[in-house]
Amino acid sequence: MTENMPKRRIKDSVFTDLFKDKKYLLQLYKALHPEDQDATEDDIEDITLKHVLVDSEYNDLGFSVGNRLMILVESQSTWSVNIIIRALMYMMQTYHDYFKRTDQNLYGSKRAVLPEPELYVIFTGDRKNIPDTISLSEEFFGGRRIAVDAEVKVLYQESEDIIGQYIIFCKVYNEQRKLYGNTKQAVTETIRICKDRHVLKSYLESRETEVVDMMMTLFDDEQIWKAYAKDIERDAEKETAIRMIKDGDMPLEKIARYVPLLSLEELKELKAEVMKSA
């Protein structure tokens, strides 16, 4: 089954494309650390995990600030506390890459030098009672002290800074999608409204064609995954129908109630195949 799975595309989203530009990456850092107004683009390095293999783990955004901070940021439109586990995995892989890049010997007696980690999730969906912080200990182990914990700060407020603007952009996009569906009009209306409201205006003006292409590609990917999920569901129902037919205790009309994706004609053909191979 898995060998027929469609490959997840490595592609840019608006989020990753936006923060490829150090101008906006610096704005993101200063939104997280308004006390540091001396940082420049030269202080920031993109350390986002990049893998050639499509099925490998990779994160939305990672960057370092000098040798002081390692900041990992994920964008999430559907709420899930599992983001803590993914963030922890990304953090350890990023540290692994850091130690290789700085040629540090973790088996030697000299204490390793490492930047302080910060984990964030930008939540762009609709949900009440959003926490400001979530942790591995609280969400999965009842608040008990555990050997390794991870704390993720949740960013969800609409504001004038680059983070708030990105959140507004996503919400406008969701509204337009409800109005126009998965169409180019939904995308172009999102861009028009956001430019009129001065939301990511300079980015959208400079990258409008690319943004339209990226968002239309997302529509294509969604259709691929929906089709794949339906195929998986049909295969599962087919296996169920075969077992029920082999049991021989139930007429096809009744079996059809349990496998709604299969027609009665398909069930008859399936029964003929089962009887032939018996």
Side-chain angles (χ1 to χ4, degrees), residues 206-223:
S206 64
R207 300 279 293 167
E208 183 163 346
T209 300
E210 291 81 1
V211 170
V212 172
D213 288 343
M214 283 185 285
M215 296 176 80
M216 293 307 295
T217 299
L218 287 175
F219 291 156
D220 292 340
D221 279 1
E222 283 186 13
Q223 293 306 313

Side-chain angles (χ1 to χ4, degrees), residues 222-272:
E222 283 186 13
Q223 293 306 313
I224 291 170
W225 280 101
K226 282 179 181 177
Y228 171 68
K230 192 164 186 178
D231 285 344
I232 294 295
E233 193 174 354
R234 278 182 59 84
D235 287 343
E237 287 196 0
K238 189 173 179 180
E239 292 297 323
T240 299
I242 289 172
R243 289 196 299 271
M244 296 174 80
I245 289 169
K246 285 182 177 179
D247 286 344
D249 297 330
M250 195 177 293
L252 294 182
E253 289 77 9
K254 193 168 183 179
I255 292 175
R257 299 178 193 171
Y258 297 94
V259 287
L261 293 179
L262 300 178
S263 68
L264 191 56
E265 287 302 315
E266 288 174 308
L267 287 175
K268 289 177 181 178
E269 291 175 7
L270 202 56
K271 182 175 182 178

Side-chain angles (χ1 to χ4, degrees), residues 7-265:
K7 295 293 184 184
R8 183 182 178 187
R9 296 184 193 174
I10 293 181
K11 63 177 186 308
D12 286 332
S13 64
V14 169
F15 181 83
T16 55
D17 186 68
L18 173 66
F19 293 115
K20 265 196 217 172
D21 189 326
K22 275 199 173 183
K23 174 175 64 177
Y24 302 117
L25 191 55
L26 180 60
Q27 290 181 34
L28 171 62
Y29 169 65
K30 289 188 175 181
L32 297 174
H33 285 275
E35 76 284 356
D36 184 1
Q37 291 301 310
D38 296 327
T40 67
E41 292 179 17
D42 292 335
D43 296 321
I44 296 176
E45 181 183 0
D46 186 343
I47 55 171
T48 305
L49 298 174
K50 298 177 177 69
H51 290 276
V52 176
L53 297 176
V54 185
D55 292 331
S56 295
E57 293 295 338
Y58 62 96
N59 60 335
D60 285 342
L61 176 65
F63 64 97
S64 60
V65 184
N67 292 315
R68 299 183 295 109
L69 293 175
M70 180 182 80
I71 299 175
L72 306 183
V73 186
E74 296 297 302
S75 174
Q76 185 166 298
S77 59
T78 303
W79 183 257
S80 171
V81 294
N82 293 333
I83 188 64
I84 305 169
I85 300 171
R86 300 204 309 272
L88 184 59
M89 292 168 63
Y90 299 148
M91 182 180 73
M92 296 316 299
Q93 182 61 51
T94 304
Y95 269 136
H96 178 267
D97 291 354
Y98 173 80
F99 292 131
K100 285 181 64 178
R101 190 168 64 251
T102 55
D103 197 27
Q104 296 192 58
N105 179 14
L106 297 183
Y107 296 94
S109 59
K110 182 180 178 181
R111 185 172 66 179
V113 176
L114 66 165
E116 180 180 342
E118 293 184 357
L119 307 176
Y120 297 91
V121 58
I122 297 177
F123 180 63
T124 62
D126 294 320
R127 186 178 188 269
K128 295 180 180 179
N129 302 320
I130 301 171
D132 292 324
T133 304
I134 51 178
S135 72
L136 190 68
S137 171
E138 290 292 337
E139 297 294 340
F140 292 90
F141 300 102
R144 295 189 298 278
R145 185 175 181 180
I146 55 177
V148 177
D149 201 359
E151 182 179 276
V152 180
K153 294 181 181 178
V154 184
L155 310 172
Y156 55 88
Q157 297 284 359
E158 298 178 19
S159 61
E160 293 183 1
D161 64 33
I162 194 74
I163 299 170
Q165 288 184 51
Y166 174 72
I167 292 170
I168 293 169
F169 171 85
C170 292
K171 292 189 174 180
V172 171
Y173 168 59
N174 290 337
E175 291 167 0
Q176 296 309 303
R177 198 171 173 184
K178 288 177 183 176
L179 290 173
Y180 302 109
N182 295 349
T183 64
K184 189 172 182 178
Q185 186 175 1
V187 177
T188 56
E189 280 297 295
T190 297
I191 294 171
R192 181 190 63 79
I193 292 168
C194 287
K195 287 196 298 186
D196 287 348
R197 293 173 60 182
H198 294 273
V199 172
L200 303 181
K201 184 175 181 179
S202 62
Y203 166 73
L204 293 173
E205 286 181 339
S206 64
R207 300 279 293 167
E208 183 163 346
T209 300
E210 291 81 1
V211 170
V212 172
D213 288 343
M214 283 185 285
M215 296 176 80
M216 293 307 295
T217 299
L218 287 175
F219 291 156
D220 292 340
D221 279 1
E222 283 186 13
Q223 293 306 313
I224 291 170
W225 280 101
K226 282 179 181 177
Y228 171 68
K230 192 164 186 178
D231 285 344
I232 294 295
E233 193 174 354
R234 278 182 59 84
D235 287 343
E237 287 196 0
K238 189 173 179 180
E239 292 297 323
T240 299
I242 289 172
R243 289 196 299 271
M244 296 174 80
I245 289 169
K246 285 182 177 179
D247 286 344
D249 297 330
M250 195 177 293
L252 294 182
E253 289 77 9
K254 193 168 183 179
I255 292 175
R257 299 178 193 171
Y258 297 94
V259 287
L261 293 179
L262 300 178
S263 68
L264 191 56
E265 287 302 315

